[in-house]
C-alpha cells in the first residue's frame, strides 16, 4: 500500500481522497480473501465453537440442577434430623418416666421387704426373749429351791434327805411367791 502511495505521488496526479483509498483491484482481492476466511471459519470453526458452547451450557445447567437437588437433599436431611431429634427426645422422656416409675416401685418393694424383715426379726427376738425368760425362770427355780432347802436345813438343823419332799416344798414356795407377785400391780414385790 505504501508503494502505491509512493507511485501515485511520483506521478503527481494524486488528489487528497485517493491517498486514503486503496486501488479497486486491492479492494476486490481483500474482499475475496475475507470471504474465503469467513467460509472456512463458518464451515469448520464456528460449529466447533457452538458445540463447545452448547456443551458448556449443558454442564452449567447440569451443575445448577445438581446444586438444586443438593439443596433439596440438604433441606430434606435437616427435616429428617429434626424429626429424629423430636423422636429421640420423646423416647428419652418416656425412658425417664419409666425409670422414675421403676425407681418408685423398687423403693416401695424395698420398704415392704424391710418392713417384713423387721417384723420377722422382731418376732424372732420376742421368741428368743421368751425362751431365755423361761430358761431363766427354770434356772432361778432350781437355784431358789437349793437355797430354800439349805436355809430350811439350817433352820431345822437337820439335812433333808428326801429329794421328792424337798422338791414339793420348793415348788409350793415358788408357786406362793408367783401368786404374791401377780397380786401386786406391775408384778414386782415391794
Amino acid at each position: 500500500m505504501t508503494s502505491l502511495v509512493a507511485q501515485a505521488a511520483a506521478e503527481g496526479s494524486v488528489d487528497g481522497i485517493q491517498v486514503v483509498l486503496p486501488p479497486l483491484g486491492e479492494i476486490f482481492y481483500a474482499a475475496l480473501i475475507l470471504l474465503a476466511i469467513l467460509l472456512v471459519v463458518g464451515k469448520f470453526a464456528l460449529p466447533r465453537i457452538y458445540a463447545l458452547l452448547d456443551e458448556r451450557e449443558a454442564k452449567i445447567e447440569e451443575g445448577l440442577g445438581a446444586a438444586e437437588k443438593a439443596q433439596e437433599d440438604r433441606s430434606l436431611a435437616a427435616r429428617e434430623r429434626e424429626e429424629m431429634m423430636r423422636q429421640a427426645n420423646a423416647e428419652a422422656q418416656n425412658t425417664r418416666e419409666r425409670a422414675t416409675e421403676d425407681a418408685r416401685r423398687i423403693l416401695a418393694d424395698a420398704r415392704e421387704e424391710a418392713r417384713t424383715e423387721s417384723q420377722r426379726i422382731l418376732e424372732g427376738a420376742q421368741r428368743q426373749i421368751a425362751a431365755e425368760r423361761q430358761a431363766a425362770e427354770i434356772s432361778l427355780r432350781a437355784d431358789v429351791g437349793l437355797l430354800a432347802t439349805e436355809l430350811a436345813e439350817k433352820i431345822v438343823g437337820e439335812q433333808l434327805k428326801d429329794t421328792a419332799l424337798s422338791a414339793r416344798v420348793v415348788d409350793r414356795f415358788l408357786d406362793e411367791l408367783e401368786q404374791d407377785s401377780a397380786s401386786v400391780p406391775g408384778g414386782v414385790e415391794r
Side-chain angles (χ1 to χ4, degrees):
M1 185 149 130
T2 54
S3 64
L4 290 174
V5 173
Q7 186 181 10
E11 290 177 4
S13 65
V14 177
D15 287 337
I17 192 86
Q18 288 180 350
V19 173
V20 179
L21 286 177
L24 193 58
E26 284 184 24
I27 292 176
F28 176 72
Y29 288 121
L32 195 58
I33 291 173
L34 183 60
L35 184 63
I37 290 174
L38 285 176
L39 284 175
V40 170
V41 168
K43 181 79 172 166
F44 298 108
L46 281 180
R48 288 185 183 168
I49 291 172
Y50 287 145
L52 285 173
L53 289 175
D54 289 342
E55 183 181 327
R56 207 174 220 181
E57 182 180 354
K59 284 183 180 179
I60 289 171
E61 286 178 7
E62 183 180 316
L64 289 174
E68 287 176 4
K69 181 155 178 44
Q71 181 67 25
E72 289 173 4
D73 290 346
R74 190 174 343 149
S75 64
L76 179 64
R79 285 191 302 265
E80 287 176 355
R81 184 180 65 240
E82 289 172 6
E83 180 62 30
M84 288 173 66
M85 288 297 291
R86 277 194 297 270
Q87 288 176 352
N89 285 336
E91 188 175 318
Q93 181 64 28
N94 288 339
T95 303
R96 282 191 295 269
E97 289 173 2
R98 281 194 312 263
T100 301
E101 288 300 318
D102 288 347
R104 287 181 185 151
R105 182 181 44 79
I106 290 169
L107 187 59
D109 290 347
R111 284 181 182 160
E112 181 62 29
E113 186 177 323
R115 188 187 60 76
T116 304
E117 183 66 18
S118 68
Q119 188 69 23
R120 185 188 62 77
I121 291 171
L122 182 62
E123 289 172 358
Q126 288 173 346
R127 280 193 304 268
Q128 185 177 359
I129 289 171
E132 287 177 4
R133 182 174 178 240
Q134 190 175 11
E137 284 179 5
I138 291 171
S139 174
L140 185 62
R141 276 184 178 258
D143 290 346
V144 168
L146 281 173
L147 286 175
T149 305
E150 287 177 13
L151 182 62
E153 287 176 355
K154 286 183 181 177
I155 289 175
V156 173
E158 67 182 68
Q159 185 176 12
L160 299 173
K161 303 269 183 201
D162 188 9
T163 57
L165 177 64
S166 297
R168 281 195 310 259
V169 169
V170 169
D171 286 340
R172 191 175 351 125
F173 173 74
L174 289 176
D175 288 339
E176 287 176 7
L177 186 62
E178 282 180 6
Q179 286 176 357
D180 287 345
S181 66
S183 66
V184 175
V188 178
E189 289 187 43
R190 288 188 246 169

